[in-house]
């Protein structure tokens, strides 16, 4: 197995762990990306796509991969995360969360998804559609009952995300055509109705 720290020429620089400037750390973003390539080979992450290389946490690089489906759609619930020490290039933490789709067939067309979103769009004031794309979504059903503030499903679906002109989004099941949930935007307040997958040591992103 590769010794990732050896891929960086460690000059024994001692840095303040609170320094958030990535240029202050020996391991550059380019080196972090090279580490990502090597990690993907070592752990046989075939079919996974690197979607993030960030340094939001001081003295670290966070590498994040999502599984790519046969149709090119990325599944954020099937992911691998690696935390790299920005001081010497060593791997500090690696986690994997694997949640797969039961069905990945696309039966409902893009036009059909827009049409099926019409009732909810009318409830939101007749907002126009700004874009559509296939995605993987964990359904939420809070909007189906005034007695339920929020309820999240224990499964994921391939869905059409119908994004509206105000940034709100409606999710339509790509196989059955049913409405799976929505994300609404309100003036000054964004109400999120979907939770990103969690893994040990990580927060919402």
């Amino acid at each position: 197995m590769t010794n990732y720290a050896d891929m960086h020429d460690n000059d024994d620089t001692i840095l303040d762990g609170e320094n958030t400037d990535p240029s202050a750390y020996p391991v550059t973003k380019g080196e972090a990306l090279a580490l990502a390539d090597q990690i993907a080979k070592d752990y046989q992450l075939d079919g996974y796509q690197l979607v993030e290389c960030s340094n939001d946490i001081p003295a670290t690089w966070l590498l994040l991969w999502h599984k790519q489906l046969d149709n090119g759609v990325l599944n954020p619930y099937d992911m691998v995360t690696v935390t790299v020490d920005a001081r010497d290039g060593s791997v500090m933490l690696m986690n994997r969360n694997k949640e797969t789709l039961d069905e990945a067939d696309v039966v409902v067309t893009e036009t059909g998804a827009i049409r099926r979103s019409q009732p909810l769009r009318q409830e939101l004031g007749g907002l126009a559609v700004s874009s559509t794309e296939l995605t993987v979504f964990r359904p939420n059903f809070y909007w189906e009952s005034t007695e339920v503030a929020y309820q999240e499903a224990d499964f994921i679906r391939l869905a059409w995300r119908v994004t509206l002109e105000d940034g709100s989004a409606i999710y339509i099941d790509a196989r059955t055509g049913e409405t799976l949930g929505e994300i609404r935007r309100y003036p000054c307040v964004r109400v999120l109705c979907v939770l990103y997958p969690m893994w040990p040591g990580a927060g919402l992103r």
Side-chain angles (χ1 to χ4, degrees), residues 58 99 127:
E99 187 169 357
L127 295 171

Side-chain angles (χ1 to χ4, degrees), residues 119-127 164 168 170 182 184 186:
L120 270 179
R121 287 193 285 121
Q122 287 301 115
E123 289 182 18
L124 295 173
L127 295 171
L164 310 182
S168 299
I170 299 170
E182 59 180 294
R184 293 189 182 185
Y186 297 94

Side-chain angles (χ1 to χ4, degrees), residues 137-158:
F137 182 69
R138 187 183 300 283
N140 63 71
F141 306 104
Y142 85 101
W143 47 271
E144 288 187 335
S145 171
T146 57
E147 298 178 359
V148 179
Y150 178 81
Q151 181 179 342
E152 186 181 59
D154 60 357
F155 55 87
I156 56 176
R157 295 276 185 85
L158 185 65

Side-chain angles (χ1 to χ4, degrees), residues 78-91:
D78 186 349
M79 65 179 183
V80 177
T81 60
V82 174
T83 302
V84 174
D85 193 320
R87 293 164 292 191
D88 63 8
S90 61
V91 172

Side-chain angles (χ1 to χ4, degrees), residues 7-200:
M7 294 181 64
H8 167 69
D9 183 14
N10 194 340
D11 59 3
D12 295 324
T13 303
I14 299 177
L15 297 165
D16 179 2
E18 297 303 316
N19 194 333
T20 58
D21 180 5
S23 65
Y25 293 103
V27 178
T28 65
K29 185 170 185 177
E31 288 180 306
L33 290 170
L35 284 170
D37 288 341
Q38 188 61 50
I39 290 169
K41 292 177 182 176
D42 289 345
Y43 289 92
Q44 300 179 335
L45 300 182
D46 299 329
Y48 285 79
Q49 181 174 315
L50 184 70
V51 297
E52 181 178 345
C53 178
S54 64
N55 65 311
D56 296 337
I57 301 175
T60 66
W61 286 103
L62 174 67
L63 307 174
L64 172 63
W65 289 262
H66 287 169
K67 179 69 174 181
Q68 188 170 39
L69 306 179
D70 291 340
N71 57 14
V73 175
L74 296 177
N75 178 5
Y77 303 95
D78 186 349
M79 65 179 183
V80 177
T81 60
V82 174
T83 302
V84 174
D85 193 320
R87 293 164 292 191
D88 63 8
S90 61
V91 172
M92 302 169 64
L93 181 68
M94 182 173 185
N95 283 290
R96 186 166 191 167
N97 183 71
K98 189 177 181 66
E99 187 169 357
T100 59
L101 288 167
D102 292 332
E103 297 285 347
D105 296 333
V106 178
V107 177
V108 177
T109 64
E110 181 178 12
T111 301
I114 292 174
R115 184 175 63 253
R116 291 170 186 267
S117 72
Q118 178 66 20
L120 270 179
R121 287 193 285 121
Q122 287 301 115
E123 289 182 18
L124 295 173
L127 295 171
V129 175
S130 64
S131 65
T132 56
E133 67 174 332
L134 278 173
T135 187
V136 178
F137 182 69
R138 187 183 300 283
N140 63 71
F141 306 104
Y142 85 101
W143 47 271
E144 288 187 335
S145 171
T146 57
E147 298 178 359
V148 179
Y150 178 81
Q151 181 179 342
E152 186 181 59
D154 60 357
F155 55 87
I156 56 176
R157 295 276 185 85
L158 185 65
W160 285 102
R161 177 167 54 219
V162 181
T163 303
L164 310 182
E165 56 185 320
D166 70 339
S168 299
I170 299 170
Y171 292 81
I172 305 296
D173 192 302
R175 188 173 65 89
T176 67
E178 64 183 308
T179 301
L180 299 178
E182 59 180 294
I183 294 177
R184 293 189 182 185
R185 285 185 181 272
Y186 297 94
C188 302
V189 178
R190 182 184 181 189
V191 179
L192 280 178
C193 303
V194 55
L195 292 178
Y196 287 85
M198 298 291 291
W199 60 95

